[in-house]
Amino acid sequence: MTESANATRPIRVLVGKPGLDGHDRGAKVVARALRDAGMEVIYTGLHQTPEEIVEAALQEDVDVVGLSILSGAHNTLVPRVIELLHAQGLDDVHVMVGGIIPEEDAEELRKLGVVAVFGPGTETEEIVRFTRSCAREA
Amino acid sequence: MSLGKAVLEGDRRALARALTLVENQHPDAEEIVRDIHGHTGHAIVVGITGAPGVGKSTLVDRLAGHFLAAGRTVGILAVDPSSPFTGGALLGDRIRMEGRGSGVFMRSIAARGQLGGLARSTPRAIQLLEAAGRDFILLETVGAGQSEVDVMGYADTTLVVVAPGLGDDVQAFKAGILEIGDIFVVNKADRPGADQTARELRQMLSLGPRRAWRPPVLSTTAQTGEGIGEIAEAILEHKASMERDPEVGVRHLHEAERFLRQAVAEQLADAAVARAKASGRWAPLVEEVAHRRKDPIWAAREIVSGEER
């Protein structure tokens, strides 16, 4: 029993696209890279509300939520997701954001508790490395 | 409060956590399962299987919506394959799901190397959803080859979904699925060829052995919700029919025996492999099998008996 318990504990990651923009190439590239790194990636598809993303994160019991936002609405969407995560008691879920985020906004998001903000041109290896470091203990 | 008790009280976070522990075969899962076991067995478990692309996920979503609108609670287990190379998985069944809030509890499950289209943890995951008070549990398989046969063992009712225009129909129908379907669904019924697919299915079914329950062939367009109500009705009719069937008790015994046997096999295998690894015999044996110096069956005997041969 202990044998297999140690052997199988993949990191679970939710990759979601909140808001209205329809460009999910970046999200798919990241989802694919995380899968190829041995993680279980739940991809929710386009046009998700913060409520839907947080409910999915709860049901899927993920270690990490990755939000891809290209619409410029990150200053409203991300705080809302974080607020809802806390409201559900999901304080141990790490939130990462990818997209086109100006540096001063990124700083604000980090202050809110976002563990990483990845801009265009980020190597997928870096995202994989960082996601691994967010894995939960148990 | 223990996690098992929290699950019984309907705590969704506890349920999510318990599902993870069961999936990971964490030692704590044993206690949870013991706590909830007496509270299971009352939900209607519907297995949904069929080739990739026939519309299983959309159908599952619409069925969930139908039961939800009727005031029932729904749990969904959607199994997707894991990569045999990295162990990773891309679980995309949520893409087809409409936001239904907390009335539907859906869990995406990676098969984690288990053949047969379902994950090893599936029976326990079903029990957890039952214990959490879900009236209907929709179990969506990977949708390739074997899976159809395995799902039958876990589900009260098995839906086999087909779609027109997916190559040679007769070919698609012969791989054992005719025997295991309790309800056949021709999805994408708005597409050309759907009537013919349904006709051929009925014809092939009429050639099969006569049973008390005659599997209906229903047409749906899951995308628009057309025909979903009829499927829901057929599921309830099938359930009622099974309860009248005198053979059902025998079948439950067979199922229980199969589960027990599988659980014994898994526990013995885990223990034996762990022992072989601890004694340092495992790696050399793997090597010998890889180089064909030893037959895997003989190597397994060595591991099971603990003696060198």
Side-chain angles (χ1 to χ4, degrees):
Chain A
M1 199 72 196
T2 34
E3 180 57 41
S4 45
N6 291 335
T8 57
R9 196 191 298 140
I11 301 169
R12 282 172 73 85
V13 186
L14 183 142
V15 174
K17 273 200 70 69
L20 295 176
D21 80 273
H23 305 281
D24 62 351
R25 192 179 146 75
K28 282 177 173 161
V29 167
V30 170
R32 178 72 194 268
L34 296 176
R35 183 200 70 170
D36 290 344
M39 301 179 202
E40 293 183 354
V41 183
I42 294 103
Y43 181 55
T44 62
L46 296 167
H47 310 315
Q48 299 284 301
T49 64
E51 285 78 7
E52 286 168 341
I53 286 178
V54 170
E55 182 64 28
L58 182 151
Q59 296 185 0
E60 301 287 359
D61 194 28
V62 292
D63 303 80
V64 179
V65 169
L67 301 173
S68 164
I69 305 172
L70 299 166
S71 62
H74 46 267
N75 286 336
T76 48
L77 291 168
V78 178
R80 182 76 185 132
V81 168
I82 289 178
E83 183 189 332
L84 289 164
L85 282 171
H86 287 311
Q88 293 284 4
L90 300 170
D91 301 310
D92 54 353
V93 175
H94 293 84
V95 178
M96 306 188 306
V97 178
I100 303 162
I101 316 282
E103 186 41 46
E104 60 265 35
D105 289 355
E107 199 43 51
E108 284 303 310
L109 296 180
R110 284 191 206 98
K111 275 186 203 153
L112 280 173
V114 171
V115 293
V117 179
F118 298 111
T122 309
E123 295 286 332
T124 52
E125 286 85 1
E126 190 189 334
I127 300 176
V128 166
R129 228 183 356 259
F130 194 86
T131 309
R132 263 205 196 106
S133 74
C134 295
R136 210 164 44 200
E137 286 290 303
Chain B
M1 186 166 46
S2 79
L3 208 49
K5 296 224 169 64
V7 169
L8 287 171
E9 290 188 0
D11 179 338
R12 298 193 335 284
R13 233 197 123 197
L15 173 59
R17 215 56 232 282
L19 283 166
T20 302
L21 294 175
V22 157
E23 263 196 287
N24 292 347
Q25 294 170 39
H26 191 278
D28 293 352
E30 305 282 320
E31 195 188 317
I32 297 168
V33 171
R34 217 173 33 232
D35 281 350
I36 62 152
H37 190 263
H39 303 267
T40 61
H42 48 76
I44 298 182
V45 183
V46 182
I48 294 100
T49 189
V54 296
K56 289 187 297 297
S57 297
T58 307
L59 190 72
V60 163
D61 174 66
R62 300 305 187 272
L63 266 177
H66 180 93
F67 290 132
L68 199 61
R72 314 300 294 270
T73 53
V74 181
I76 299 174
L77 298 173
V79 187
D80 271 327
S82 299
S83 158
F85 302 106
T86 66
L90 198 48
L91 309 169
D93 290 307
R94 276 186 178 270
I95 296 172
R96 308 263 173 266
M97 300 292 153
E98 306 214 333
R100 300 200 189 277
S102 53
V104 174
F105 191 104
M106 170 172 184
R107 185 63 170 239
S108 311
I109 294 180
R112 297 194 181 171
Q114 183 80 352
L115 295 175
L118 295 170
R120 187 163 153 174
S121 59
T122 302
R124 288 178 158 197
I126 292 173
Q127 288 184 332
L128 281 169
L129 286 171
E130 281 189 281
R134 301 284 147 174
D135 302 319
F136 287 89
I137 295 163
L138 308 179
L139 171 60
E140 181 186 338
T141 71
V142 166
Q146 261 284 131
S147 58
E148 292 85 2
V149 184
D150 259 20
V151 68
M152 186 181 60
Y154 302 132
D156 299 308
T157 300
T158 302
L159 258 60
V160 173
V161 188
V162 299
L166 283 180
D168 185 349
D169 289 338
V170 176
Q171 187 72 13
F173 296 154
K174 77 177 179 189
I177 64 167
L178 284 174
E179 286 86 345
I180 63 121
D182 299 308
I183 297 167
F184 289 84
V185 179
V186 178
N187 192 31
K188 308 190 184 183
D190 53 340
R191 297 236 177 129
D195 289 341
Q196 197 193 331
T197 302
R199 212 164 32 241
E200 281 180 26
L201 245 181
R202 284 197 189 95
Q203 215 164 54
M204 297 194 69
L205 284 168
S206 70
L207 299 175
R210 296 220 162 238
R211 291 184 291 170
W213 171 259
R214 309 208 47 192
V217 176
L218 304 173
S219 295
T220 55
T221 309
Q223 200 72 49
T224 63
E226 188 87 33
I228 296 299
E230 285 81 352
I231 296 179
E233 264 170 52
I235 289 168
L236 296 176
E237 279 169 28
H238 178 250
K239 161 111 179 144
S241 159
M242 287 299 105
E243 279 163 2
R244 287 193 303 269
D245 186 348
E247 300 223 324
V248 82
V250 181
R251 214 160 30 231
H252 279 320
L253 273 181
H254 281 310
E255 249 164 56
E257 189 176 2
R258 208 167 70 96
F259 284 152
L260 185 55
R261 205 185 163 83
Q262 193 182 335
V264 169
E266 282 167 5
Q267 285 180 24
L268 285 178
D270 286 346
V273 170
R275 220 168 32 235
K277 281 188 181 174
S279 71
R281 285 293 297 146
W282 179 255
L285 273 173
V286 169
E287 194 126 324
E288 284 182 66
V289 171
H291 294 109
R292 298 182 182 273
R293 286 197 296 270
K294 213 159 225 165
D295 179 81
I297 292 174
W298 280 97
R301 273 198 193 142
E302 262 189 63
I303 288 163
V304 171
S305 69
E307 290 163 22
E308 210 167 313
R309 279 167 198 259

